[in-house]
């Protein structure tokens, strides 16, 4: 019998489907100027206007007039693609300006732009053991898949510490040989649990055990800190972190990722990291749009305030009506369902019946049994939209026989 390739591919999908977590991508078209509205293409014959409640374009910068204009004028001035890797004709003036701006945002010597935040994590963490022989990496158990992938690529000794657990981290640091190089990899805002790491205390441990610190601020850049430099800026800790990693794709509304660090670290990563070296650089227009977006958000603290206010408004409604959400003191509002089939069914009902789009978040993005709907209210989600959402949620929650807490 020849090997049956097809049955293996379809079998892989069957097991996902059997658990009720088969992924369906909703086909939507965002409508510039009407954020967070979009058109949903249900099938080839029907379209429906929807409100998007789960976008990571947290501040609507992907439709900001000035950002769009910056992209357009760069396309007119420089064309579409960059035409090369960074080393071979792909370092345009737009890339250089963007990296200067990002370095300044994080008060670091230099920044380095990658094709995505995923690649920034994978490439940077992946090359660390080459630069630091004998390296031991200490990684938070809830770290993003891109960090895990980078750490696996590094093929060095690693220890996974319990989420945000300083005692566990310290025990693991203490147990490691004092003379080995160490790196602690963690995030600031954890996007699925909506909580924030004890950054200062982790930095204190790093000092005590002479470890480097690597923080993923993907869900914080643009949104926290006086100029949008992230939670480390807000807590005045940027100088205590060795490598700050961020994305241009979420609050900045474009695509691409980066690290910011001192001159020597950036120079080494630039020279050694495969995922930086052997790929075409982002289009000049993307760099131009990101540059404009970073500059705008630097001077827009009121957007950050509105963003937090909207998140708090949604949480207040969930709380008042007894919906089980995680209150993590961030802009992300996860509503817990705890069942992959119901989670998907709620999402389907919300979009079909009410034009409300919130994607179900199932395993492996979150642990089994903690399936959730992850709401990301933006400054453009109005009170009226929240009223409509709450009405719809009550209906669907009852249909699914899910519980709400009695609120006095
Ligand atoms: C989205 C995400 C990334 C990847 O960033 P992209 O720019 O989308 O590739 C990295 N880390 C975390 C925590 C993320 O949520």
């Amino acid at each position: 019998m020849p090997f049956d390739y097809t049955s293996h591919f379809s079998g892989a999908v069957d097991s996902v489907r059997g658990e009720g977590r088969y992924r369906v991508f909703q086909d939507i078209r965002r409508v510039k100027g009407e954020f967070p509205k979009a058109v949903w293409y249900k099938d080839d014959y029907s379209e429906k206007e929807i409100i998007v409640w789960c976008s990571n374009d947290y501040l609507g910068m992907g439709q900001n007039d000035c950002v769009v204009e910056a992209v357009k004028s760069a396309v007119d001035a420089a064309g579409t693609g960059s035409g090369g890797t960074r080393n071979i004709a792909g370092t345009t003036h737009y890339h250089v300006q963007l990296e200067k701006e990002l370095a300044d945002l994080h008060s670091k010597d230099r920044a380095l732009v990658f094709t995505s935040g995923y690649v920034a994590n994978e490439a940077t963490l992946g090359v660390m053991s080459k630069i630091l022989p004998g390296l031991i990496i200490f990684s938070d158990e809830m770290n993003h898949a891109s960090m895990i992938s980078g750490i696996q690529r590094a093929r060095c000794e690693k220890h996974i510490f319990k989420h945000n657990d300083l005692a566990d981290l310290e025990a693991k640091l203490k147990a490691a040989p004092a003379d080995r190089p160490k790196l602690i990899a963690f995030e600031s805002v954890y996007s699925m649990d909506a909580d924030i790491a004890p950054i200062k205390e982790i930095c204190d441990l790093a000092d005590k055990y002479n470890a480097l610190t690597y923080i993923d601020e993907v869900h914080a850049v643009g949104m926290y800190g006086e100029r949008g430099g992230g939670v480390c800026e807000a807590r005045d800790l940027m100088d205590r972190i060795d490598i700050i990693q961020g994305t241009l794709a979420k609050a900045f509304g474009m695509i691409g990722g980066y690290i910011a660090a001192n001159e020597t670290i950036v120079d080494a990563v630039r020279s050694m990291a495969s995922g930086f070296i052997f790929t075409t650089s982002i289009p000049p227009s993307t760099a131009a749009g990101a540059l404009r977006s970073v500059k705008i958000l630097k001077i827009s603290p009121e957007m950050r305030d509105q963003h937090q206010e909207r998140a708090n408004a949604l949480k207040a409604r969930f709380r008042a009506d007894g919906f089980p959400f995680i209150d993590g003191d961030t802009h992300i509002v996860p509503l817990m369902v705890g069942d992959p089939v119901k989670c998907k069914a709620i999402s389907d009902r919300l979009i079909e019946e009410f034009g409300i789009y919130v994607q179900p978040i199932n395993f492996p993005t979150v642990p089994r049994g903690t399936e959730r709907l992850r709401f990301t209210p933006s400054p453009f989600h109005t009170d009226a939209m929240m009223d409509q959402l709450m009405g719809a949620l009550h209906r669907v929650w009852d249909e699914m026989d899910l519980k709400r807490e009695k609120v006095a």
Side-chain angles (χ1 to χ4, degrees), residues 80-102:
T80 55
S82 76
T85 63
R86 286 294 296 272
N87 189 43
I88 308 176
T91 296
T92 73
H93 195 54
Y94 300 92
H95 296 83
V96 174
Q97 284 181 302
L98 173 60
E99 286 178 346
K100 280 195 182 133
E101 186 69 25
L102 292 167

Side-chain angles (χ1 to χ4, degrees), residues 90-119:
T91 296
T92 73
H93 195 54
Y94 300 92
H95 296 83
V96 174
Q97 284 181 302
L98 173 60
E99 286 178 346
K100 280 195 182 133
E101 186 69 25
L102 292 167
D104 177 75
L105 177 67
H106 295 290
S107 301
K108 296 288 182 195
D109 298 341
R110 276 178 79 174
L112 198 62
V113 169
F114 299 75
T115 43
S116 74
Y118 189 104
V119 173

Side-chain angles (χ1 to χ4, degrees), residues 47-92:
E47 300 178 3
K48 187 180 172 90
E49 192 176 274
I50 57 164
I51 307 282
V52 181
W53 278 97
C54 56
S55 174
N56 281 338
D57 187 356
Y58 291 120
L59 302 173
M61 293 305 280
Q63 302 191 353
N64 177 284
D65 284 332
C66 297
V67 174
V68 170
E69 209 35 60
V71 172
K72 282 185 183 166
S73 54
V75 169
D76 287 340
T80 55
S82 76
T85 63
R86 286 294 296 272
N87 189 43
I88 308 176
T91 296
T92 73

Side-chain angles (χ1 to χ4, degrees), residues 270-303:
R270 185 186 73 89
S271 307
M272 305 275 293
S274 180
F276 174 80
I277 298 171
F278 297 104
T279 191
T280 302
S281 62
I282 59 172
S285 56
T286 302
L291 175 65
R292 184 65 59 88
S293 189
V294 173
K295 278 185 190 287
I296 292 170
L297 288 184
K298 259 187 181 171
I299 53 167
S300 307
E302 70 288 347
M303 287 243 299

Side-chain angles (χ1 to χ4, degrees), residues 8 13 17-18 80 126 145 212 224 249 251 278 358:
H8 281 78
V13 177
R17 210 190 290 269
T80 55
L212 292 178
Y224 295 83
F278 297 104
V358 57

Side-chain angles (χ1 to χ4, degrees), residues 116-118 121 144 146 187 216 218-219 247 249-250 256:
S116 74
Y118 189 104
N121 273 334
H144 188 259
S146 55
E187 302 182 20
D216 173 321
V218 159
H219 291 279
T247 184
K250 290 170 184 172

